[in-house]
Amino acid sequence: MNSKKVNWLFLCLILIDIAWLAFVVIFIIALQKPFNLPIAANFILNQMFIVVPTMLFLLASKRKTESGNLNEMLGFHKIKVSSFFMIILFTFLIMPMSIALNAISMLFVENTVNAISGDILQMPFLLMLFLIGIFGPFCEELVFRGAIFHGYQRSGAVIGAIIWSAVLFGLMHLNFNQAAYAVALGFMFGLLVEATGSLWSSVIAHMVFNSQQVCTMYLSEYFMPGTYESSDNMLTQDLLLGAIGPYLIIAVIATSIAFCVLFWLAKNENREVNWRYLWKRDKEAKSAFVSAPLIVAIIISLAYMVFSWAASR
């Protein structure tokens, strides 16, 4: 799958998501009652909205080119056991970065995860740990670091592929709060895949990241009931501004160490040469990621995000 097909795929994913949201709104208006789909079912449905079209695109591309297989197209290659543990370390090192970016975004928009935390906490812990910590990350990595990143990577511009797959990952969340740190995480996950040569690395990192969030949420509720219900009211602008400074310092230090871990992983997986010439290869590659479908998809995504932000004020 090349960059043009990737752009068509992303447009399809955005249109499906918007169509589902429109259906929910029409249902509520027409029947004058809330659309009560359990959060677990809604989560599974949203993941299917991105996985099924992606697999159809991949199968269509494979049939037309008759080259490679799905595993090669997605990049599910083995990694060393030592790399597995370093990936976990890498994930914890990039967490301060995501917290800092989340805090900065909260100066302007609502924390989206906090807004649905009540619904999440009403569900069994193990179910949410599986859906949010394992199932969701696997699906999202398959789509964004698997199909989309590798599709863009065929152009030869790896850094460009990492950046654009990260941007699309952020836009797919359709809200400014999650997009703020999803782009940064997507970029780091993309570098991780390039350093190890395997999609399993970003799948593991994403699973660890999300699982940590789920465990923190349930532990906080267990020891301090009502924490998430009152958190938005407690976090004033002054408190956020006071927290952002120290977290930015921690984030810079931790992220710098995370880049060192990436170099170690590249060497450990015998990809040191690829990693050292990463930037040079991008300069030499002739790439054109942007096309009409991508522009339309970005406009639709941003328009929806702006509309949602304005409606919530």
Side-chain angles (χ1 to χ4, degrees):
M1 190 160 69
N2 55 33
S3 58
K4 290 183 179 179
K5 290 180 181 177
V6 168
N7 293 342
W8 277 108
L9 169 61
F10 184 68
L11 177 59
C12 288
L13 297 181
I14 290 296
L15 291 176
I16 291 169
D17 221 0
I18 297 295
W20 171 246
L21 293 169
F23 168 78
V24 172
V25 172
I26 293 170
F27 178 93
I28 294 171
I29 294 173
L31 299 183
Q32 295 294 309
K33 63 179 184 180
F35 188 82
N36 293 321
L37 187 67
I39 190 168
N42 188 62
F43 192 83
I44 293 171
L45 196 61
N46 285 332
Q47 296 303 320
M48 290 300 98
F49 283 159
I50 64 172
V51 170
V52 173
T54 298
M55 294 306 297
L56 291 175
F57 265 78
L58 287 171
L59 290 171
S61 298
K62 180 178 179 296
R63 191 178 300 113
K64 287 181 179 179
T65 60
E66 296 296 334
S67 62
N69 54 50
L70 286 178
N71 184 52
E72 288 297 322
M73 295 170 79
L74 293 169
F76 282 113
H77 305 302
K78 292 180 181 180
I79 57 173
K80 296 178 180 178
V81 175
S82 53
S83 293
F84 171 81
F85 291 105
M86 291 300 284
I87 289 167
I88 295 175
L89 172 62
F90 171 84
T91 308
F92 280 96
L93 286 169
I94 63 175
M95 285 180 184
M97 173 192 69
S98 69
I99 294 172
L101 291 173
N102 182 39
I104 292 170
S105 72
M106 286 172 63
L107 292 171
F108 310 99
V109 294
E110 180 186 21
N111 187 313
T112 308
V113 175
N114 274 7
I116 62 170
S117 60
D119 294 330
I120 293 174
L121 290 169
Q122 289 177 6
M123 304 299 294
F125 166 70
L126 290 178
L127 176 61
M128 288 294 100
L129 182 63
F130 171 73
L131 290 178
I132 299 176
I134 299 175
F135 179 69
F138 180 83
C139 293
E140 291 174 4
E141 291 308 308
L142 183 149
V143 174
F144 289 96
R145 254 65 60 186
I148 290 178
F149 167 63
H150 283 99
Y152 281 145
Q153 191 186 34
R154 290 172 65 90
S155 68
V158 180
I159 295 297
I162 291 172
I163 292 172
W164 274 106
S165 62
V167 170
L168 301 193
F169 179 56
L171 290 174
M172 195 68 212
H173 287 79
L174 291 177
N175 66 81
F176 287 113
N177 172 245
Q178 287 179 295
Y181 56 87
V183 171
L185 287 173
F187 179 75
M188 297 304 287
F189 289 160
L191 288 175
L192 184 59
V193 171
E194 182 59 25
T196 60
S198 174
L199 183 62
W200 283 119
S201 59
S202 66
V203 170
I204 293 166
H206 201 156
M207 285 182 177
V208 171
F209 185 91
N210 280 22
S211 296
Q212 180 271 336
Q213 286 191 317
V214 174
C215 291
T216 300
M217 185 180 294
Y218 277 84
L219 284 172
S220 298
E221 185 64 20
Y222 180 79
F223 288 107
M224 296 177 289
T227 299
Y228 285 89
E229 292 178 9
S230 58
S231 59
D232 283 340
N233 297 326
M234 294 170 60
L235 288 173
T236 62
Q237 291 274 334
D238 290 338
L239 282 174
L240 280 171
L241 286 170
I244 287 171
Y247 257 112
L248 278 175
I249 295 172
I250 296 170
V252 169
I253 296 170
T255 306
S256 300
I257 300 172
F259 273 97
C260 295
V261 173
L262 286 173
F263 277 97
W264 185 94
L265 284 166
K267 185 176 182 179
N268 194 51
E269 294 291 335
N270 301 316
R271 291 179 60 82
E272 189 175 9
V273 174
N274 294 52
W275 186 257
R276 287 184 181 278
Y277 291 96
L278 192 60
W279 305 96
K280 185 179 179 181
R281 284 158 54 199
D282 255 51
K283 290 180 180 179
E284 295 174 351
K286 295 180 179 179
S287 58
F289 296 115
V290 180
S291 62
L294 181 62
I295 294 172
V296 172
I298 292 173
I299 291 172
I300 293 173
S301 304
L302 291 175
Y304 177 82
M305 291 160 70
V306 170
F307 175 79
S308 299
W309 171 77
S312 65
R313 292 179 68 82

